[in-house]
Structures are given as structure tokens and as C-alpha cells.
């Protein structure tokens, strides 16, 4: 049995400071994704998240059984934007009806793609809803700025403002969609202890 320690291999991407933002280079990675719109407190959002977890754990155990490769299921992540806009500004936090989101979970390249159809089939047999919406994407984020947010999701805008101020101080500007990585489980952790990585791809300010 071979073990793939993704958390160690990708530690530099998933352990930012909460005190100050940092610049990183994110390599191309493959994700299982589900797209949706509107409030993340909706049943649709929970269905999408459940489909991702069901597929990811089914795939993990299939790869372990069939290929002799063990790896951890990685954190859920989300890309956020609003309809008709290329970015996600601070003022958009109050426009939940206009939110467009993509939930995703990274799938290791070392595990290949051959077992994806079987993992989907097995997850569907267990009654998992939403699997028909699941798709796969090679996501290349590149140069990005990130910071750790500790606390409830409702207080994120203050941390996002700090992230944007850091980006401007580096003579850069945000590009693309706002990216969140959910290291804490809101069903288990106290809201004030939740950890969320806030990330935004960047480009020269012009």
C-alpha cells in the first residue's frame, strides 16, 4: 500500500497566516465540481456539498482497493461570483440572490481518472442526490493572494478587505472569482473557531 500525503505535499497552499496575507503560486489541479446559485444556506447548496463528499470518499476507497493507493479526502472549496460580473466585490456580500457558486474538491492526479465512472455509479446506488450535476475540471489558478479567516462566515468581509488591501500594496489587482477553502466543519466547530482560507488570483495592476 502506497500513501499519498497530500496535506504535507500541498502544505504551503493550505496553511496561510491569519495575521497577514501572502502571495503563492497555485499549480494546476483537478477538481470534482458542482455549480449552483443563490444562498449557501439553501437545500440545493447542501445537496451539492453532499454529492461532492459522497463521490470523493467513494473514489478514495475504490482507489485504495483497486490501485493500492491511499490518500486523504481534501477540504471542500468554493468559487464565488455574481451574475453578470467577472469579480466578487465587498459590496456583493449582501446580494445572495445574485451569487453564483462552484463547490469543488480536489482529486489527486496520482489516482488517475479510470475509476471516476465506477465511483459515481456506486455513490448513486447509495441514493446520493445531485451526482448528475457533478463535473470535473482542470483548474489553474496561478499567482494568488491568500489569508486565513478565523471565525464565522458572516465576519469574512473584514478579512477580505485586509486581503484586498494587501493585493493593492503589492501593485496587483484581483482577477477572476473569489475562492474559499473550508478547513472547519460548521456542523461541529464553534463559529468563532471556524477556519476558512480566503484566496484570490491576482494580476499586475496595470
Amino acid at each position: 500500500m502506497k500513501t499519498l500525503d497530500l496535506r504535507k505535499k500541498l502544505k504551503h497552499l493550505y496553511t496561510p497566516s491569519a495575521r497577514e496575507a501572502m502571495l503563492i503560486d497555485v499549480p494546476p489541479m483537478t477538481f470534482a465540481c458542482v455549480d449552483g446559485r443563490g444562498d449557501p444556506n439553501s437545500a440545493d447548496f447542501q445537496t451539492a456539498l453532499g454529492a461532492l463528499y459522497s463521490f470523493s470518499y467513494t473514489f478514495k476507497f475504490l482507489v485504495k482497493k483497486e490501485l493500492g493507493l491511499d490518500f486523504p479526502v481534501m477540504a471542500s472549496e468554493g468559487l464565488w461570483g455574481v451574475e453578470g460580473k467577472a469579480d466578487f466585490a465587498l459590496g456583493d456580500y449582501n446580494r445572495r440572490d445574485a451569487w453564483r457558486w462552484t463547490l469543488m474538491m480536489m482529486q489527486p492526479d496520482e489516482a488517475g481518472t479510470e475509476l471516476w465512472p465506477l465511483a459515481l455509479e456506486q455513490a448513486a446506488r447509495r441514493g446520493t442526490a445531485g451526482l448528475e450535476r457533478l463535473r470535473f475540471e482542470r483548474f489553474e489558478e496561478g499567482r494568488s493572494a491568500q489569508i486565513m479567516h478565523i471565525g464565522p462566515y458572516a465576519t469574512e468581509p473584514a478579512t477580505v478587505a485586509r486581503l484586498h488591501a494587501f493585493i493593492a500594496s503589492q501593485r496587483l489587482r484581483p482577477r477572476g472569482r473569489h475562492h474559499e477553502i473550508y478547513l472547519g466543519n460548521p456542523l461541529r466547530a464553534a463559529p468563532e473557531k471556524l477556519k476558512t482560507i480566503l484566496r484570490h488570483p491576482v494580476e499586475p495592476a496595470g
Side-chain angles (χ1 to χ4, degrees), residues 18 24 29 43 47 69 72 82 98 140-142 147 154 166 179 192 195:
I24 56 168
M29 292 184 283
T47 296
L69 176 64
V82 293
E140 185 169 359
E141 205 159 23
I147 192 171
F166 168 79
H179 188 172
E192 64 272 13
K195 293 184 177 181

Side-chain angles (χ1 to χ4, degrees), residues 40 78 80 88-90 93 96 99 147-164 178-184 191 194-199:
W80 296 87
F88 190 79
L90 284 172
Y93 269 85
R96 292 192 172 207
W99 286 0
I147 192 171
M148 182 75 77
H149 172 74
I150 300 177
Y153 302 132
T155 62
E156 279 185 12
T159 308
V160 172
R162 291 170 55 207
L163 179 63
H164 284 195
H178 172 70
H179 188 172
E180 299 184 351
I181 302 168
Y182 307 106
L183 303 183
L194 286 172
K195 293 184 177 181
T196 307
I197 298 172
L198 306 180
R199 181 186 294 168

Side-chain angles (χ1 to χ4, degrees), residues 130-146:
L131 290 169
E132 72 283 353
R133 296 165 58 188
L134 194 144
R135 62 180 179 82
F136 300 95
E137 180 179 338
R138 188 73 173 169
F139 185 51
E140 185 169 359
E141 205 159 23
R143 192 68 164 167
S144 301
Q146 66 177 20

Side-chain angles (χ1 to χ4, degrees), residues 34-108:
V34 179
D35 302 307
R37 61 178 61 191
D39 197 324
N41 293 316
S42 67
D44 184 60
F45 188 90
Q46 296 304 317
T47 296
L49 192 58
L52 281 176
Y53 271 105
S54 181
F55 167 80
S56 296
Y57 274 101
T58 302
F59 181 59
K60 165 191 166 66
F61 290 120
L62 270 175
V63 170
K64 184 176 181 179
K65 178 182 177 182
E66 301 295 333
L67 303 181
L69 176 64
D70 192 21
F71 59 88
V73 170
M74 298 299 284
S76 59
E77 309 188 21
L79 299 177
W80 296 87
V82 293
E83 189 171 12
K85 290 183 63 179
D87 61 355
F88 190 79
L90 284 172
D92 295 322
Y93 269 85
N94 296 321
R95 302 177 57 203
R96 292 192 172 207
D97 59 330
W99 286 0
R100 299 294 180 265
W101 43 261
T102 298
L103 287 177
M104 54 192 198
M105 296 181 77
M106 194 269 279
Q107 310 298 321

